Each structure stands twice: as structure tokens, then as C-alpha cells.
Amino acid sequence: MLDLKLIRTETDFVKEKLATRGVDAQEIDDLLALDQKRRDLIVKSETMKANRNTVSDEISQLKRNKEDASDKIEQMKQVSADIKSLDEQLTTIAEDVSDKTSRLPNIPNDEVPVGLTEDGSVELRKWGEIPTFADFKPKSHWEIGEDLGILDFERGAKVSGSRFLYYVGQGARLERAIYNFFLDENEKAGFTEVLPPYMVNSESMFGTGQFPKFKEDVYSLKEADETLIPTAEVPLVNYYRDEVIPTEKLPVYFTALTPAFRSEAGSAGRDTRGLIRLHQFNKVEMVKFTKPEDSWNELESLTTHAEELLQKLGLAYHVITLTTGDMSFTAAMTHDLEVWLPFQDRYREISSCSNTTDFQARRAHIQYRDDNGKLQYVHTLNGSGLAVGRTVAAVLENYQNADGTVDIPEALQPYMGGQTKITKED
């Protein structure tokens, strides 16, 4: 959440920055007008309360002197009723101010390319050789998986609906090998593994920015204040919600393997086949809590670590910086890693690494004490390390052979019991 004081004092700056994210300046004006009304009512209410206190003292004095105080008592009854009405208005307006503020996205860093769509994203670097298939035309990962008998989309749809599947046999083992590899590599990089809850309450969803604006993108329980997590970022960031992190602990690095549940609202017709856009998928998440002065270096190290995972798997990729309009709601800057998928003949996202600055920390009220002992908001960062299903897709497509088998990347072979090739299931 943005600092309301910043919006008041640097209004033109905020309008200019948020315009690059599609926010109309009128939204800012409406918020400030409402906030001014709230502040005016606070002054009026406090003035009336001070007057009531003064008159109450006068009434007490009249009673001590055995004088008639009935007029003043009646007067104060009306004043008390007026104060109650004002306070009720204040509560409503304060909630409206909070709601409007909570729907404004983070302010983008000055180095983020400006654009309201994904067009204009800047490629930072590439790595790896794009594979060539001289003797055969590469197949899609879903065709490879179905032919090998390791991915079963038909039964997934029968049991749960579209965009669900079964991993079978070597497919299930490959998925497990990939996420165990990621977790082990993340631990080597200093991340503490966490096994978090898979359901969270509304305060947690608000803290990381999914609520109130993106409720249609998630699965929530009707009979309880619980939502299935869309990413482990939610429970990991909220681990410290409403807490002051001891300064000596910073930076804190967390990693977790969890399922992610997404309704994929608004994605009708996109990636309807395969592992790219499912309603349930596994993801290894990385989250960092840092001091503000360290967060930009931490973003680069987070991105570099995610790259190293792809490098160890021998998968070609590139890194791009997303535009202001293509970043997530909470991000101040995002580097996307996109892995090469031969069947699609293009790069596809496999990780997003973002610095959310103090945006999430303000919403979740996560602080630390600076060198002067003053409470400050931490900066939070998050990144996929990596999306497991998309990594399975990349392995199947990049390591496929003409005979329908798939070679297993060397880094994964220890996790596959020494197996070097995936062959057709009996």
C-alpha cells in the first residue's frame, strides 16, 4: 500500500508514476478529496469533544454549587448525539479512504520501461543454445507426456475439470525430482525452507496485495474466511505480519514448495492445453525481507539465483524487465525469466522476480528498527524458484528424442535414482 502522506505531499509525482500503470489522475483526486473530508471531520469531532469536556466541567461545578445545570445537560445530550453521528461518518469515510488507497498499485522504479502493455519489455540478457532438431519436428510437451504415459490430462479433466491433470509414474518422479532439486539449491543459497499453510485468511491476502482487488482470481471457501493460496508468497510474506523483525536477522530468506491454486479468470482461450496455465500447480517460491537500502541488490541476486537453476538444467532462457503496465500490482520492478519451448518456438515465463519495496510491508505491517532505533518498514521481494510444471514442460520439449524418449538433465539424474532417460510407461 502506498503511503497516504506521500500521495498528499507529492501528488503530481504519484499521478505521473501511476499513470504509467493505467491509473487515472481522477482516482487520486477523488482519494484526496475523501481524505480531506475525513481530516475535516476529525477536526470538527475533536473540537466538539473538547467543548463537551469543558461544558461537562462547568456542569460539575454548577452541581457542586447546587445550581441548576439542566440547560447545559440537555445541550450536551445533543452534542453527544452529534459527536456519535460524526464518528460514524468518520468510520465509514476512513474505510473508504483505506479501500481506495489499497487499490492503487505500487510506484514503479525509474528504470522500469514505461508501457501499459507487455510491449516494450527490455531484454537484459540471454543464456544457452537454443536446441535444434535436424531429424524430426519437435513435439509439444503434452503430446510427449501423453505418448510416454506420464501425463494424463483426460483423466484429470474427468475427475476435476479442465486444466487439471495426473502425473503418472516417471512423470510424477520427474516433478518430484525438479522441486527437490530446486529446494536443495535454494538451501545452498541461504534460503530457509518452510512448509506453510495452504489456506490463508483475508488479512494475509490483503497483506500481499491479492485482496481486495483480485478476489476473482482465487479460490475461497464459502463457509470460512479461508482462501487457497495462489502462491507461497502469501504465507511466506505474512509469516512476519504485524511484527517487528529483529534488525540483526535481516536479511531473511525463505523458500517453500507448495501447490498454487488459481482460477485463471480472464485467461479464457489461452494455453488451454499442457502445463503452462493450470488451476493447480506446484511452485517453489523464494521470499526475502531486507532493509530498504539493500533491496535492489537483493533483487539482482534473486534473479541471478533463479537463472542459475535454469543454467544447471541446461535450459536456454532470457531475462526481461517488464513494463510498468505488465508488472504485478505490488511490484516496483520485475525481472521475468523466460525459458525456451521448442514446440512453441518462443520463450515462455518460468519465473518472475520482483522487488515490492515497502508496499507489502505497509499492508502487512512488517517493520524493523533502523540504526537510530526508529521503526521502519522492511522491503519484501519474491521470485519463483521455479514454477515446477513449466520446468517439466521445458525439460520434456528441450530434451526430447526422435524415438519419443526424453533425456534427463544431468543435474536431475541423482534425484531420479540415476535414471538417464524417460521411456514409455508399460
Side-chain angles (χ1 to χ4, degrees):
M1 182 180 289
L2 298 181
D3 183 358
L4 191 53
K5 183 179 179 181
L6 174 70
I7 299 173
R8 288 192 207 111
T9 58
E10 299 187 43
T11 304
D12 290 342
F13 166 78
V14 172
K15 284 182 178 179
E16 179 183 355
K17 282 294 188 179
L18 294 190
T20 68
R21 307 205 65 177
V23 177
D24 193 297
Q26 189 62 48
E27 291 185 47
I28 308 297
D29 290 336
D30 291 345
L31 168 62
L32 290 176
L34 197 61
D35 178 54
Q36 186 60 53
K37 183 177 180 181
R38 179 186 67 86
R39 296 166 75 190
D40 291 344
L41 285 175
I42 289 173
V43 172
K44 186 175 181 180
S45 176
E46 289 178 347
T47 301
M48 291 176 70
K49 288 174 182 177
N51 179 57
R52 182 177 61 182
N53 291 339
T54 300
V55 176
S56 293
D57 290 340
E58 292 174 359
I59 291 172
S60 297
Q61 185 61 47
L62 287 170
K63 287 183 175 180
R64 282 195 295 271
N65 295 337
K66 300 187 182 304
E67 297 180 47
D68 182 18
S70 57
D71 288 346
K72 289 185 179 293
I73 290 173
E74 287 301 315
Q75 179 186 350
M76 285 304 99
K77 284 181 180 179
Q78 184 58 51
V79 169
S80 293
D82 291 343
I83 290 173
K84 181 181 179 182
S85 176
L86 271 179
D87 287 346
E88 288 173 351
Q89 291 181 58
L90 267 171
T91 298
T92 300
I93 291 175
E95 289 173 353
D96 288 345
V97 168
S98 178
D99 182 67
K100 287 182 181 296
T101 307
S102 71
R103 293 175 185 273
L104 295 175
N106 201 356
I107 291 175
N109 182 275
D110 290 343
E111 295 182 11
V112 175
V114 174
L116 294 180
T117 67
E118 63 184 22
D119 296 334
S121 295
V122 175
E123 184 179 75
L124 299 180
R125 51 191 171 270
K126 287 182 179 179
W127 185 92
E129 294 292 328
I130 292 175
T132 57
F133 301 87
D135 302 329
F136 68 100
K137 183 178 180 180
K139 297 179 180 179
S140 67
H141 64 272
W142 59 85
E143 186 177 0
I144 297 167
E146 288 172 335
D147 288 346
L148 290 171
I150 63 173
L151 301 179
D152 195 331
F153 293 94
E154 184 177 348
R155 287 188 174 91
K158 177 185 71 175
V159 171
S160 299
S162 63
R163 302 195 185 192
F164 291 91
L165 82 152
Y166 284 92
Y167 288 86
V168 180
Q170 297 170 87
R173 188 164 191 178
L174 177 61
E175 173 104 351
R176 176 158 51 94
I178 287 171
Y179 62 62
N180 282 332
F181 167 68
F182 289 161
L183 289 170
D184 286 350
E185 292 298 312
N186 289 353
E187 184 180 17
K188 292 175 187 176
F191 288 84
T192 298
E193 184 179 355
V194 176
L195 186 59
Y198 297 165
M199 293 191 294
V200 295
N201 55 32
S202 294
E203 289 88 350
S204 295
M205 293 292 284
F206 179 86
T208 43
Q210 282 80 15
F211 284 3
K213 194 168 184 178
F214 303 102
K215 286 189 175 184
E216 71 279 4
D217 296 331
V218 299
Y219 293 107
S220 294
L221 277 63
K222 289 184 178 180
E223 303 302 325
D225 179 26
E226 299 289 350
T227 295
L228 295 172
I229 60 171
T231 166
E233 172 194 344
V234 180
L236 291 181
V237 169
N238 280 280
Y239 183 86
Y240 284 120
R241 177 160 54 87
D242 297 324
E243 294 187 34
V244 177
I245 303 176
T247 305
E248 62 272 16
K249 279 193 171 185
L250 295 173
V252 175
Y253 296 176
F254 285 155
T255 187
L257 162 74
T258 68
F261 303 93
R262 300 186 185 178
S263 70
E264 292 295 344
S267 66
R270 298 175 59 195
D271 299 307
T272 55
R273 300 195 66 184
L275 299 170
I276 300 300
R277 201 176 298 277
L278 298 171
H279 291 309
Q280 174 191 319
F281 58 93
N282 288 322
K283 184 156 69 82
V284 175
E285 187 73 7
M286 303 178 292
V287 161
K288 294 183 174 184
F289 302 85
T290 76
K291 295 179 181 179
E293 62 266 27
D294 299 329
S295 67
W296 294 108
N297 287 335
E298 291 286 1
L299 174 60
E300 297 311 313
S301 69
L302 184 69
T303 306
T304 298
H305 176 65
E307 290 183 67
E308 289 170 351
L309 297 176
L310 288 174
Q311 291 172 13
K312 289 179 179 180
L313 293 176
L315 295 170
Y317 67 89
H318 72 168
V319 181
I320 61 174
T321 300
L322 299 186
T323 63
T324 51
D326 199 30
M327 292 191 301
S328 72
F329 176 76
T330 60
M333 176 180 279
T334 297
H335 298 322
D336 262 14
L337 278 64
E338 296 186 333
V339 69
W340 182 259
L341 291 183
F343 176 76
Q344 295 189 17
D345 195 34
R346 59 177 290 202
Y347 292 106
R348 294 301 305 267
E349 178 196 340
I350 197 166
S351 175
S352 284
C353 297
S354 299
N355 185 357
T356 72
T357 57
D358 63 357
F359 191 83
Q360 290 180 328
R362 285 183 180 277
R363 299 172 76 97
H365 205 67
I366 305 170
Q367 298 177 298
Y368 78 103
R369 293 191 182 276
D370 63 18
D371 293 340
N372 297 317
K374 185 178 179 181
L375 285 173
Q376 305 286 356
Y377 289 105
V378 300
H379 280 195
T380 60
L381 301 93
N382 64 81
S384 310
L386 305 164
V388 181
R390 294 189 178 204
T391 307
V392 170
V395 168
L396 294 180
E397 291 198 14
N398 283 278
Y399 284 93
Q400 62 181 296
N401 299 308
D403 62 0
T405 62
V406 175
D407 294 329
I408 298 171
E410 186 175 347
L412 296 180
Q413 291 174 15
Y415 297 89
M416 296 285 290
Q419 186 178 344
T420 61
K421 193 182 294 286
I422 298 175
T423 57
K424 187 174 178 61
E425 293 278 328
D426 294 330

